[in-house]
Amino acid sequence: MTPFQLLTDVHMSPVKGKRPGSVGELGPFKLTAGDTIPDTLWHQILSVVNHPQGQKTIRLADYKGKLIILDFWATWCGACIKAMPRIHGLQTVFQHDMVVLPVTDEPYNTIAGFLQTNAIVKEINTVSIVNDTVLRRYFPHITVPHFIWISPKGRFLAPTGPDEINAANIKAALGETANGITNKVDLDGNKPLFFDNNIELDSNSFYSIFYKGRYIGLPSGNRFRRTGEVLRGRAVTNEEILPLYEAAVYPLFEKAGLTYNRKLLILTIKDTAAVYARLCNARGEARNFYNYDLIVPVRDARNLFAYMLQDLNRYSAYHGSIETKTIPCFIIQKSGVPVKTSATGVAIEKVVKILNQSEAIKLPTVNASGFSGKLDLPLREPLDFKLIKKQLQAYGLEIVTGKRPMRVFVLADKDAQ
């Protein structure tokens, strides 16, 4: 199987609590590209907030003769909000010929407050349709942001993601054509990715696909594939390659009785930002995205994550392996005075886990003291490591810097192998 490639760059989020799109639910409402907008929809009363003339309701008919772009969004969708200023700017450029109408099913008060307080959207003073139960039935979708283009002559031209909202496509749509506009096709992530729905996977089936690039019809996230109680598959969508590898590494460590964290990550990669942008910059913008799905036969379910690691090594430009290496670490050891325990504190195993999970502490921590009791320490974030080290001394323990052989995850450029 060869990797697929799709070059896009847009974050999508699943519509919470909804899976619109079933024919039974939508009945005659659902429209498809090319359909004429029915009169009933043109004259449907729609509740709005933040209207420039103070109106509480509008109709699509109020904008008939213009290009109408419906922008389905939500307050919890970061990509929706991020796209709004740029799209608002285009609406200003084409203000005589087009209108962008944000649409959400969230309530009036929630949206009214959000539009006034959110640092990004309050500057553009946008209107929004609220409490929507109608438009999403005519234009069903699984992920947001989701854009619906309605031509000046009243035709449903295309469903798209935000990248398609640009001057060239707007000019084309004003001319009643969708040529050059890439449609957004939502996929049901509960089904095997990019798989023919007419084919059934049984308990003996094996399915694997690796798709390089953002797919705008899928959310970013993870799904588990089960047959009954048996976990036999894992899907990761619109993620960078390091989190994709880690989806296999975490359970492989757990299977060995260990706990993985990024302090146990060793990268031998020329371009670190290419595998996970935030390793270089906390606000780094991801550049490379992948979609991956693996389903194994039920009888091989115990090897699921080993197969996943092998697959990623086969398909990607990287090679990941779990190895034993001697690395710098913090070591909890006895200080030489009598060791004490706390009656009400936290078990030392949990203390070590908290220290390893904290981003403020840059090295992994191991317990070499032989102590297995409880400790009463300040363990709320942000951790004060100096204070923790000081208070450990009261228990006859200390933290020193040293080296220990540890199981680590090594991710390398494949051409360096």
Side-chain angles (χ1 to χ4, degrees), residues 42 60-61 63-70 97-101 148-152:
W42 282 116
L60 291 185
Y63 308 95
K64 206 167 187 179
K66 290 186 174 185
L67 170 64
I68 300 171
I69 298 180
L70 302 177
D97 301 307
M98 71 170 282
V99 61
V100 178
L101 295 174
I148 296 297
W149 298 57
I150 300 174
S151 79

mmCIF file with all atom_site columns, all heavy atoms in Angstrom, residues 42 60-61 63-70 97-101 148-152:
data_model
loop_
_atom_site.group_PDB
_atom_site.id
_atom_site.type_symbol
_atom_site.label_atom_id
_atom_site.label_alt_id
_atom_site.label_comp_id
_atom_site.label_asym_id
_atom_site.label_entity_id
_atom_site.label_seq_id
_atom_site.pdbx_PDB_ins_code
_atom_site.Cartn_x
_atom_site.Cartn_y
_atom_site.Cartn_z
_atom_site.occupancy
_atom_site.B_iso_or_equiv
_atom_site.pdbx_formal_charge
_atom_site.auth_seq_id
_atom_site.auth_comp_id
_atom_site.auth_asym_id
_atom_site.auth_atom_id
_atom_site.pdbx_PDB_model_num
ATOM 1   N N   . TRP A 1 42  ? -35.591 30.339 1.938  1.00 0.00 ? 42  TRP A N   1
ATOM 2   C CA  . TRP A 1 42  ? -35.356 31.767 1.760  1.00 0.00 ? 42  TRP A CA  1
ATOM 3   C C   . TRP A 1 42  ? -36.104 32.595 2.813  1.00 0.00 ? 42  TRP A C   1
ATOM 4   O O   . TRP A 1 42  ? -35.605 33.600 3.298  1.00 0.00 ? 42  TRP A O   1
ATOM 5   C CB  . TRP A 1 42  ? -35.799 32.227 0.375  1.00 0.00 ? 42  TRP A CB  1
ATOM 6   C CG  . TRP A 1 42  ? -34.859 31.910 -0.750 1.00 0.00 ? 42  TRP A CG  1
ATOM 7   C CD1 . TRP A 1 42  ? -35.087 31.105 -1.815 1.00 0.00 ? 42  TRP A CD1 1
ATOM 8   C CD2 . TRP A 1 42  ? -33.528 32.430 -0.930 1.00 0.00 ? 42  TRP A CD2 1
ATOM 9   N NE1 . TRP A 1 42  ? -33.992 31.070 -2.650 1.00 0.00 ? 42  TRP A NE1 1
ATOM 10  C CE2 . TRP A 1 42  ? -33.018 31.879 -2.126 1.00 0.00 ? 42  TRP A CE2 1
ATOM 11  C CE3 . TRP A 1 42  ? -32.718 33.297 -0.199 1.00 0.00 ? 42  TRP A CE3 1
ATOM 12  C CZ2 . TRP A 1 42  ? -31.740 32.167 -2.615 1.00 0.00 ? 42  TRP A CZ2 1
ATOM 13  C CZ3 . TRP A 1 42  ? -31.440 33.593 -0.679 1.00 0.00 ? 42  TRP A CZ3 1
ATOM 14  C CH2 . TRP A 1 42  ? -30.960 33.025 -1.863 1.00 0.00 ? 42  TRP A CH2 1
ATOM 15  N N   . LEU A 1 60  ? -32.800 34.666 4.872  1.00 0.00 ? 60  LEU A N   1
ATOM 16  C CA  . LEU A 1 60  ? -31.829 34.622 3.771  1.00 0.00 ? 60  LEU A CA  1
ATOM 17  C C   . LEU A 1 60  ? -32.290 35.494 2.621  1.00 0.00 ? 60  LEU A C   1
ATOM 18  O O   . LEU A 1 60  ? -31.467 36.056 1.877  1.00 0.00 ? 60  LEU A O   1
ATOM 19  C CB  . LEU A 1 60  ? -31.624 33.175 3.299  1.00 0.00 ? 60  LEU A CB  1
ATOM 20  C CG  . LEU A 1 60  ? -30.912 32.217 4.260  1.00 0.00 ? 60  LEU A CG  1
ATOM 21  C CD1 . LEU A 1 60  ? -30.679 30.867 3.580  1.00 0.00 ? 60  LEU A CD1 1
ATOM 22  C CD2 . LEU A 1 60  ? -29.592 32.787 4.763  1.00 0.00 ? 60  LEU A CD2 1
ATOM 23  N N   . ALA A 1 61  ? -33.601 35.643 2.471  1.00 0.00 ? 61  ALA A N   1
ATOM 24  C CA  . ALA A 1 61  ? -34.155 36.469 1.395  1.00 0.00 ? 61  ALA A CA  1
ATOM 25  C C   . ALA A 1 61  ? -33.702 37.922 1.510  1.00 0.00 ? 61  ALA A C   1
ATOM 26  O O   . ALA A 1 61  ? -33.693 38.654 0.507  1.00 0.00 ? 61  ALA A O   1
ATOM 27  C CB  . ALA A 1 61  ? -35.679 36.389 1.398  1.00 0.00 ? 61  ALA A CB  1
ATOM 28  N N   . TYR A 1 63  ? -30.877 38.881 1.695  1.00 0.00 ? 63  TYR A N   1
ATOM 29  C CA  . TYR A 1 63  ? -29.603 39.016 0.991  1.00 0.00 ? 63  TYR A CA  1
ATOM 30  C C   . TYR A 1 63  ? -29.670 38.407 -0.415 1.00 0.00 ? 63  TYR A C   1
ATOM 31  O O   . TYR A 1 63  ? -28.633 38.219 -1.051 1.00 0.00 ? 63  TYR A O   1
ATOM 32  C CB  . TYR A 1 63  ? -28.491 38.334 1.798  1.00 0.00 ? 63  TYR A CB  1
ATOM 33  C CG  . TYR A 1 63  ? -28.455 38.798 3.240  1.00 0.00 ? 63  TYR A CG  1
ATOM 34  C CD1 . TYR A 1 63  ? -29.112 38.062 4.237  1.00 0.00 ? 63  TYR A CD1 1
ATOM 35  C CD2 . TYR A 1 63  ? -27.813 39.972 3.593  1.00 0.00 ? 63  TYR A CD2 1
ATOM 36  C CE1 . TYR A 1 63  ? -29.103 38.493 5.563  1.00 0.00 ? 63  TYR A CE1 1
ATOM 37  C CE2 . TYR A 1 63  ? -27.802 40.413 4.913  1.00 0.00 ? 63  TYR A CE2 1
ATOM 38  C CZ  . TYR A 1 63  ? -28.456 39.671 5.892  1.00 0.00 ? 63  TYR A CZ  1
ATOM 39  O OH  . TYR A 1 63  ? -28.456 40.116 7.179  1.00 0.00 ? 63  TYR A OH  1
ATOM 40  N N   . LYS A 1 64  ? -30.857 38.132 -0.872 1.00 0.00 ? 64  LYS A N   1
ATOM 41  C CA  . LYS A 1 64  ? -31.028 37.513 -2.199 1.00 0.00 ? 64  LYS A CA  1
ATOM 42  C C   . LYS A 1 64  ? -30.444 38.418 -3.272 1.00 0.00 ? 64  LYS A C   1
ATOM 43  O O   . LYS A 1 64  ? -30.615 39.635 -3.240 1.00 0.00 ? 64  LYS A O   1
ATOM 44  C CB  . LYS A 1 64  ? -32.508 37.245 -2.460 1.00 0.00 ? 64  LYS A CB  1
ATOM 45  C CG  . LYS A 1 64  ? -32.768 36.109 -3.433 1.00 0.00 ? 64  LYS A CG  1
ATOM 46  C CD  . LYS A 1 64  ? -34.239 35.698 -3.400 1.00 0.00 ? 64  LYS A CD  1
ATOM 47  C CE  . LYS A 1 64  ? -34.476 34.450 -4.247 1.00 0.00 ? 64  LYS A CE  1
ATOM 48  N NZ  . LYS A 1 64  ? -35.896 34.024 -4.205 1.00 0.00 ? 64  LYS A NZ  1
ATOM 49  N N   . GLY A 1 65  ? -29.751 37.812 -4.222 1.00 0.00 ? 65  GLY A N   1
ATOM 50  C CA  . GLY A 1 65  ? -29.073 38.568 -5.265 1.00 0.00 ? 65  GLY A CA  1
ATOM 51  C C   . GLY A 1 65  ? -27.594 38.761 -4.985 1.00 0.00 ? 65  GLY A C   1
ATOM 52  O O   . GLY A 1 65  ? -26.839 39.170 -5.864 1.00 0.00 ? 65  GLY A O   1
ATOM 53  N N   . LYS A 1 66  ? -27.179 38.452 -3.742 1.00 0.00 ? 66  LYS A N   1
ATOM 54  C CA  . LYS A 1 66  ? -25.762 38.478 -3.393 1.00 0.00 ? 66  LYS A CA  1
ATOM 55  C C   . LYS A 1 66  ? -25.240 37.046 -3.261 1.00 0.00 ? 66  LYS A C   1
ATOM 56  O O   . LYS A 1 66  ? -26.021 36.107 -3.120 1.00 0.00 ? 66  LYS A O   1
ATOM 57  C CB  . LYS A 1 66  ? -25.549 39.200 -2.058 1.00 0.00 ? 66  LYS A CB  1
ATOM 58  C CG  . LYS A 1 66  ? -25.786 40.700 -2.081 1.00 0.00 ? 66  LYS A CG  1
ATOM 59  C CD  . LYS A 1 66  ? -25.392 41.317 -0.747 1.00 0.00 ? 66  LYS A CD  1
ATOM 60  C CE  . LYS A 1 66  ? -25.478 42.833 -0.795 1.00 0.00 ? 66  LYS A CE  1
ATOM 61  N NZ  . LYS A 1 66  ? -24.989 43.457 0.470  1.00 0.00 ? 66  LYS A NZ  1
ATOM 62  N N   . LEU A 1 67  ? -23.931 36.910 -3.287 1.00 0.00 ? 67  LEU A N   1
ATOM 63  C CA  . LEU A 1 67  ? -23.309 35.651 -2.907 1.00 0.00 ? 67  LEU A CA  1
ATOM 64  C C   . LEU A 1 67  ? -23.423 35.539 -1.390 1.00 0.00 ? 67  LEU A C   1
ATOM 65  O O   . LEU A 1 67  ? -22.977 36.426 -0.650 1.00 0.00 ? 67  LEU A O   1
ATOM 66  C CB  . LEU A 1 67  ? -21.839 35.627 -3.329 1.00 0.00 ? 67  LEU A CB  1
ATOM 67  C CG  . LEU A 1 67  ? -20.997 34.467 -2.796 1.00 0.00 ? 67  LEU A CG  1
ATOM 68  C CD1 . LEU A 1 67  ? -21.496 33.132 -3.333 1.00 0.00 ? 67  LEU A CD1 1
ATOM 69  C CD2 . LEU A 1 67  ? -19.523 34.679 -3.140 1.00 0.00 ? 67  LEU A CD2 1
ATOM 70  N N   . ILE A 1 68  ? -24.039 34.461 -0.908 1.00 0.00 ? 68  ILE A N   1
ATOM 71  C CA  . ILE A 1 68  ? -24.193 34.231 0.529  1.00 0.00 ? 68  ILE A CA  1
ATOM 72  C C   . ILE A 1 68  ? -23.284 33.077 0.933  1.00 0.00 ? 68  ILE A C   1
ATOM 73  O O   . ILE A 1 68  ? -23.341 31.998 0.334  1.00 0.00 ? 68  ILE A O   1
ATOM 74  C CB  . ILE A 1 68  ? -25.652 33.890 0.880  1.00 0.00 ? 68  ILE A CB  1
ATOM 75  C CG1 . ILE A 1 68  ? -26.594 35.035 0.475  1.00 0.00 ? 68  ILE A CG1 1
ATOM 76  C CG2 . ILE A 1 68  ? -25.790 33.583 2.370  1.00 0.00 ? 68  ILE A CG2 1
ATOM 77  C CD1 . ILE A 1 68  ? -28.073 34.672 0.589  1.00 0.00 ? 68  ILE A CD1 1
ATOM 78  N N   . ILE A 1 69  ? -22.465 33.309 1.932  1.00 0.00 ? 69  ILE A N   1
ATOM 79  C CA  . ILE A 1 69  ? -21.629 32.237 2.479  1.00 0.00 ? 69  ILE A CA  1
ATOM 80  C C   . ILE A 1 69  ? -22.042 32.018 3.926  1.00 0.00 ? 69  ILE A C   1
ATOM 81  O O   . ILE A 1 69  ? -21.918 32.925 4.759  1.00 0.00 ? 69  ILE A O   1
ATOM 82  C CB  . ILE A 1 69  ? -20.133 32.562 2.378  1.00 0.00 ? 69  ILE A CB  1
ATOM 83  C CG1 . ILE A 1 69  ? -19.724 32.719 0.910  1.00 0.00 ? 69  ILE A CG1 1
ATOM 84  C CG2 . ILE A 1 69  ? -19.302 31.459 3.040  1.00 0.00 ? 69  ILE A CG2 1
ATOM 85  C CD1 . ILE A 1 69  ? -18.243 33.057 0.707  1.00 0.00 ? 69  ILE A CD1 1
ATOM 86  N N   . LEU A 1 70  ? -22.563 30.837 4.215  1.00 0.00 ? 70  LEU A N   1
ATOM 87  C CA  . LEU A 1 70  ? -22.921 30.462 5.572  1.00 0.00 ? 70  LEU A CA  1
ATOM 88  C C   . LEU A 1 70  ? -21.698 29.843 6.239  1.00 0.00 ? 70  LEU A C   1
ATOM 89  O O   . LEU A 1 70  ? -21.108 28.896 5.715  1.00 0.00 ? 70  LEU A O   1
ATOM 90  C CB  . LEU A 1 70  ? -24.078 29.452 5.572  1.00 0.00 ? 70  LEU A CB  1
ATOM 91  C CG  . LEU A 1 70  ? -25.373 29.897 4.875  1.00 0.00 ? 70  LEU A CG  1
ATOM 92  C CD1 . LEU A 1 70  ? -26.403 28.768 4.904  1.00 0.00 ? 70  LEU A CD1 1
ATOM 93  C CD2 . LEU A 1 70  ? -25.942 31.148 5.537  1.00 0.00 ? 70  LEU A CD2 1
ATOM 94  N N   . ASP A 1 97  ? -21.391 42.823 -3.035 1.00 0.00 ? 97  ASP A N   1
ATOM 95  C CA  . ASP A 1 97  ? -21.751 41.630 -3.815 1.00 0.00 ? 97  ASP A CA  1
ATOM 96  C C   . ASP A 1 97  ? -21.907 40.362 -2.981 1.00 0.00 ? 97  ASP A C   1
ATOM 97  O O   . ASP A 1 97  ? -22.416 39.361 -3.494 1.00 0.00 ? 97  ASP A O   1
ATOM 98  C CB  . ASP A 1 97  ? -20.675 41.380 -4.881 1.00 0.00 ? 97  ASP A CB  1
ATOM 99  C CG  . ASP A 1 97  ? -20.506 42.557 -5.822 1.00 0.00 ? 97  ASP A CG  1
ATOM 100 O OD1 . ASP A 1 97  ? -21.533 42.995 -6.379 1.00 0.00 ? 97  ASP A OD1 1
ATOM 101 O OD2 . ASP A 1 97  ? -19.370 43.030 -5.977 1.00 0.00 ? 97  ASP A OD2 1
ATOM 102 N N   . MET A 1 98  ? -21.452 40.367 -1.730 1.00 0.00 ? 98  MET A N   1
ATOM 103 C CA  . MET A 1 98  ? -21.510 39.140 -0.941 1.00 0.00 ? 98  MET A CA  1
ATOM 104 C C   . MET A 1 98  ? -21.749 39.448 0.525  1.00 0.00 ? 98  MET A C   1
ATOM 105 O O   . MET A 1 98  ? -21.538 40.574 0.994  1.00 0.00 ? 98  MET A O   1
ATOM 106 C CB  . MET A 1 98  ? -20.213 38.327 -1.086 1.00 0.00 ? 98  MET A CB  1
ATOM 107 C CG  . MET A 1 98  ? -19.014 38.951 -0.411 1.00 0.00 ? 98  MET A CG  1
ATOM 108 S SD  . MET A 1 98  ? -17.556 37.871 -0.340 1.00 0.00 ? 98  MET A SD  1
ATOM 109 C CE  . MET A 1 98  ? -17.975 36.789 1.003  1.00 0.00 ? 98  MET A CE  1
ATOM 110 N N   . VAL A 1 99  ? -22.196 38.418 1.251  1.00 0.00 ? 99  VAL A N   1
ATOM 111 C CA  . VAL A 1 99  ? -22.360 38.516 2.694  1.00 0.00 ? 99  VAL A CA  1
ATOM 112 C C   . VAL A 1 99  ? -21.949 37.182 3.309  1.00 0.00 ? 99  VAL A C   1
ATOM 113 O O   . VAL A 1 99  ? -22.229 36.118 2.753  1.00 0.00 ? 99  VAL A O   1
ATOM 114 C CB  . VAL A 1 99  ? -23.806 38.879 3.089  1.00 0.00 ? 99  VAL A CB  1
ATOM 115 C CG1 . VAL A 1 99  ? -24.788 37.810 2.619  1.00 0.00 ? 99  VAL A CG1 1
ATOM 116 C CG2 . VAL A 1 99  ? -23.942 39.089 4.597  1.00 0.00 ? 99  VAL A CG2 1
ATOM 117 N N   . VAL A 1 100 ? -21.224 37.237 4.414  1.00 0.00 ? 100 VAL A N   1
ATOM 118 C CA  . VAL A 1 100 ? -20.872 36.045 5.174  1.00 0.00 ? 100 VAL A CA  1
ATOM 119 C C   . VAL A 1 100 ? -21.725 36.034 6.430  1.00 0.00 ? 100 VAL A C   1
ATOM 120 O O   . VAL A 1 100 ? -21.743 37.010 7.191  1.00 0.00 ? 100 VAL A O   1
ATOM 121 C CB  . VAL A 1 100 ? -19.380 36.024 5.549  1.00 0.00 ? 100 VAL A CB  1
ATOM 122 C CG1 . VAL A 1 100 ? -19.056 34.781 6.391  1.00 0.00 ? 100 VAL A CG1 1
ATOM 123 C CG2 . VAL A 1 100 ? -18.509 36.060 4.306  1.00 0.00 ? 100 VAL A CG2 1
ATOM 124 N N   . LEU A 1 101 ? -22.458 34.941 6.651  1.00 0.00 ? 101 LEU A N   1
ATOM 125 C CA  . LEU A 1 101 ? -23.341 34.816 7.808  1.00 0.00 ? 101 LEU A CA  1
ATOM 126 C C   . LEU A 1 101 ? -22.869 33.667 8.692  1.00 0.00 ? 101 LEU A C   1
ATOM 127 O O   . LEU A 1 101 ? -23.086 32.497 8.365  1.00 0.00 ? 101 LEU A O   1
ATOM 128 C CB  . LEU A 1 101 ? -24.783 34.565 7.355  1.00 0.00 ? 101 LEU A CB  1
ATOM 129 C CG  . LEU A 1 101 ? -25.468 35.688 6.570  1.00 0.00 ? 101 LEU A CG  1
ATOM 130 C CD1 . LEU A 1 101 ? -26.834 35.221 6.081  1.00 0.00 ? 101 LEU A CD1 1
ATOM 131 C CD2 . LEU A 1 101 ? -25.601 36.938 7.436  1.00 0.00 ? 101 LEU A CD2 1
ATOM 132 N N   . ILE A 1 148 ? -21.009 27.059 3.437  1.00 0.00 ? 148 ILE A N   1
ATOM 133 C CA  . ILE A 1 148 ? -21.971 26.795 2.370  1.00 0.00 ? 148 ILE A CA  1
ATOM 134 C C   . ILE A 1 148 ? -22.043 28.026 1.473  1.00 0.00 ? 148 ILE A C   1
ATOM 135 O O   . ILE A 1 148 ? -22.291 29.139 1.946  1.00 0.00 ? 148 ILE A O   1
ATOM 136 C CB  . ILE A 1 148 ? -23.369 26.480 2.950  1.00 0.00 ? 148 ILE A CB  1
ATOM 137 C CG1 . ILE A 1 148 ? -23.322 25.193 3.781  1.00 0.00 ? 148 ILE A CG1 1
ATOM 138 C CG2 . ILE A 1 148 ? -24.416 26.384 1.841  1.00 0.00 ? 148 ILE A CG2 1
ATOM 139 C CD1 . ILE A 1 148 ? -22.960 23.943 2.996  1.00 0.00 ? 148 ILE A CD1 1
ATOM 140 N N   . TRP A 1 149 ? -21.827 27.811 0.175  1.00 0.00 ? 149 TRP A N   1
ATOM 141 C CA  . TRP A 1 149 ? -21.854 28.897 -0.805 1.00 0.00 ? 149 TRP A CA  1
ATOM 142 C C   . TRP A 1 149 ? -23.199 28.877 -1.543 1.00 0.00 ? 149 TRP A C   1
ATOM 143 O O   . TRP A 1 149 ? -23.564 27.865 -2.147 1.00 0.00 ? 149 TRP A O   1
ATOM 144 C CB  . TRP A 1 149 ? -20.736 28.720 -1.832 1.00 0.00 ? 149 TRP A CB  1
ATOM 145 C CG  . TRP A 1 149 ? -19.337 28.748 -1.291 1.00 0.00 ? 149 TRP A CG  1
ATOM 146 C CD1 . TRP A 1 149 ? -18.801 27.954 -0.324 1.00 0.00 ? 149 TRP A CD1 1
ATOM 147 C CD2 . TRP A 1 149 ? -18.281 29.611 -1.718 1.00 0.00 ? 149 TRP A CD2 1
ATOM 148 N NE1 . TRP A 1 149 ? -17.486 28.265 -0.115 1.00 0.00 ? 149 TRP A NE1 1
ATOM 149 C CE2 . TRP A 1 149 ? -17.132 29.277 -0.957 1.00 0.00 ? 149 TRP A CE2 1
ATOM 150 C CE3 . TRP A 1 149 ? -18.184 30.624 -2.673 1.00 0.00 ? 149 TRP A CE3 1
ATOM 151 C CZ2 . TRP A 1 149 ? -15.908 29.921 -1.119 1.00 0.00 ? 149 TRP A CZ2 1
ATOM 152 C CZ3 . TRP A 1 149 ? -16.957 31.273 -2.838 1.00 0.00 ? 149 TRP A CZ3 1
ATOM 153 C CH2 . TRP A 1 149 ? -15.841 30.930 -2.068 1.00 0.00 ? 149 TRP A CH2 1
ATOM 154 N N   . ILE A 1 150 ? -23.915 29.990 -1.496 1.00 0.00 ? 150 ILE A N   1
ATOM 155 C CA  . ILE A 1 150 ? -25.189 30.146 -2.210 1.00 0.00 ? 150 ILE A CA  1
ATOM 156 C C   . ILE A 1 150 ? -25.009 31.272 -3.220 1.00 0.00 ? 150 ILE A C   1
ATOM 157 O O   . ILE A 1 150 ? -24.683 32.403 -2.858 1.00 0.00 ? 150 ILE A O   1
ATOM 158 C CB  . ILE A 1 150 ? -26.343 30.458 -1.243 1.00 0.00 ? 150 ILE A CB  1
ATOM 159 C CG1 . ILE A 1 150 ? -26.506 29.322 -0.231 1.00 0.00 ? 150 ILE A CG1 1
ATOM 160 C CG2 . ILE A 1 150 ? -27.639 30.686 -2.013 1.00 0.00 ? 150 ILE A CG2 1
ATOM 161 C CD1 . ILE A 1 150 ? -27.521 29.597 0.855  1.00 0.00 ? 150 ILE A CD1 1
ATOM 162 N N   . SER A 1 151 ? -25.208 30.965 -4.491 1.00 0.00 ? 151 SER A N   1
ATOM 163 C CA  . SER A 1 151 ? -24.901 31.915 -5.556 1.00 0.00 ? 151 SER A CA  1
ATOM 164 C C   . SER A 1 151 ? -25.918 33.055 -5.608 1.00 0.00 ? 151 SER A C   1
ATOM 165 O O   . SER A 1 151 ? -27.018 32.957 -5.044 1.00 0.00 ? 151 SER A O   1
ATOM 166 C CB  . SER A 1 151 ? -24.885 31.180 -6.905 1.00 0.00 ? 151 SER A CB  1
ATOM 167 O OG  . SER A 1 151 ? -26.212 30.968 -7.367 1.00 0.00 ? 151 SER A OG  1
ATOM 168 N N   . PRO A 1 152 ? -25.581 34.153 -6.292 1.00 0.00 ? 152 PRO A N   1
ATOM 169 C CA  . PRO A 1 152 ? -26.529 35.267 -6.422 1.00 0.00 ? 152 PRO A CA  1
ATOM 170 C C   . PRO A 1 152 ? -27.865 34.859 -7.051 1.00 0.00 ? 152 PRO A C   1
ATOM 171 O O   . PRO A 1 152 ? -28.893 35.482 -6.779 1.00 0.00 ? 152 PRO A O   1
ATOM 172 C CB  . PRO A 1 152 ? -25.777 36.258 -7.308 1.00 0.00 ? 152 PRO A CB  1
ATOM 173 C CG  . PRO A 1 152 ? -24.322 35.979 -7.050 1.00 0.00 ? 152 PRO A CG  1
ATOM 174 C CD  . PRO A 1 152 ? -24.256 34.493 -6.855 1.00 0.00 ? 152 PRO A CD  1
#
